[in-house]
């Protein structure tokens, strides 16, 4: 998965979703729902809100992972866009959180663009062994999730084509390692807003640096102060497919329910 080497993306997603109401978001534009702001979830609550096998039915297998972002310090291994305006896009699909302030603890005031809590997961389906979906549940302080989504909405013109630079993977030969430069193309995908979400944004991001064109298709669903990101991967011959709508719908519902519970 060259769009994020070594680990599945945390904030990883894009799909045609089943809608619980008639209010939709088409063409990637966003419209807020009257679902209420929801409350911020702690790291433990966010993890507990991740979908499980039982939520999805027979044939699905969910693996919840410990986020790797920030475990080597602030900015370690971060992919940096050569066009600064495009950085929020990379941070949204492959965020690198600041260093923790204690054992597994996130900083009380994370840098702008970074979630204060994150849970990663992957979902496999027996009927489609190559159609895995990677997800990230990202908790933001009040107002930041909506602000980040608004920033991403503005990137489709200036970031239609851009490049990024990332440190070489540590597994390569010892000695001086040349940074990895990647060419990207960004395309908006028509993405209805799933029932229970406040808004949704869909896109495909490509990696055109190698001999094959690799694609990452994603949808970001905003649920109160959280973002749920679902991602699939593909190549030119088999482009990334829209993430399974059952996974997206059930995850949005669990996050909304968790936010509605009183502490």
């Amino acid at each position: 998965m060259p769009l994020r080497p070594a680990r599945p993306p945390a904030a990883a997603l894009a799909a045609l979703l089943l809608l619980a109401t008639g209010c939709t978001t088409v063409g990637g534009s966003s419209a807020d729902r009257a679902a209420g702001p929801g409350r911020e979830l702690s790291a433990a609550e966010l993890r507990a809100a991740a979908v499980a096998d039982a939520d999805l039915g027979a044939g699905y297998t969910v693996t919840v992972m410990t986020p790797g972002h920030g475990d080597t310090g602030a900015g370690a291994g971060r992919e940096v866009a050569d066009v600064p305006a495009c950085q929020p896009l990379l941070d949204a699909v492959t965020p690198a959180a600041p260093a923790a302030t204690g054992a597994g603890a996130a900083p009380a005031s994370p840098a702008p663009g970074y979630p204060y809590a994150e849970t990663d997961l992957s979902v496999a389906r027996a009927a489609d062994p190559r159609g895995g979906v990677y997800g990230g549940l990202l908790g933001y302080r009040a107002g930041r999730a909506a602000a980040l989504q608004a920033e991403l909405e503005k990137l489709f013109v200036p970031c239609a084509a851009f490049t990024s630079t990332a440190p070489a993977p540590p597994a390569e030969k010892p000695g001086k390692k040349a940074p990895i430069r990647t060419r990207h193309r960004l395309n908006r995908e028509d993405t209805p807003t799933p029932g229970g979400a406040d808004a949704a944004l869909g896109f495909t991001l490509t990696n055109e640096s190698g001999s094959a064109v690799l694609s990452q298709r994603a949808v970001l669903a905003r649920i109160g102060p959280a973002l749920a990101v679902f991602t699939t991967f593909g190549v030119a011959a088999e482009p990334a497919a829209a993430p399974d709508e059952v996974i997206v719908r059930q995850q949005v519902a669990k996050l909304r329910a968790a936010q509605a519970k009183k502490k």
Side-chain angles (χ1 to χ4, degrees), residues 119-193:
T119 290
D120 295 347
L121 60 144
S122 65
V123 185
R125 187 183 179 194
D128 185 12
R130 293 195 297 179
V133 175
Y134 299 101
L137 310 183
L138 311 175
Y140 290 91
R141 297 306 181 195
R144 184 53 193 158
L148 177 58
Q149 185 184 20
E151 291 176 24
L152 297 178
E153 289 274 11
K154 301 174 183 177
L155 299 183
F156 289 98
V157 173
C159 300
F162 68 100
T163 59
S164 66
T165 304
E172 291 193 1
K173 295 180 181 179
K176 189 174 181 180
K177 302 169 185 175
I180 298 173
R181 291 186 59 78
T182 301
R183 294 189 302 273
H184 302 283
R185 291 187 185 278
L186 175 65
N187 293 290
R188 186 189 293 273
E189 300 287 353
D190 286 352
T191 304
T193 299

Side-chain angles (χ1 to χ4, degrees), residues 211-260:
S211 56
V213 175
L214 306 172
S215 62
Q216 176 183 15
R217 187 166 175 178
V219 66
L220 287 84
R222 179 165 59 82
I223 306 97
L227 292 179
V229 184
F230 308 89
T231 307
T232 61
F233 292 86
V235 294
E238 295 183 51
D244 189 328
E245 64 186 19
V246 173
I247 299 170
V248 176
R249 185 176 69 249
Q250 292 298 326
Q251 183 58 82
V252 168
K254 285 200 73 172
L255 271 173
R256 180 60 79 186
Q259 291 173 352

Side-chain angles (χ1 to χ4, degrees), residues 41-50 104 116-119 258:
L41 302 176
S42 68
E45 289 174 319
L46 197 66
R47 186 178 180 87
Y116 69 83
E118 175 184 342
T119 290

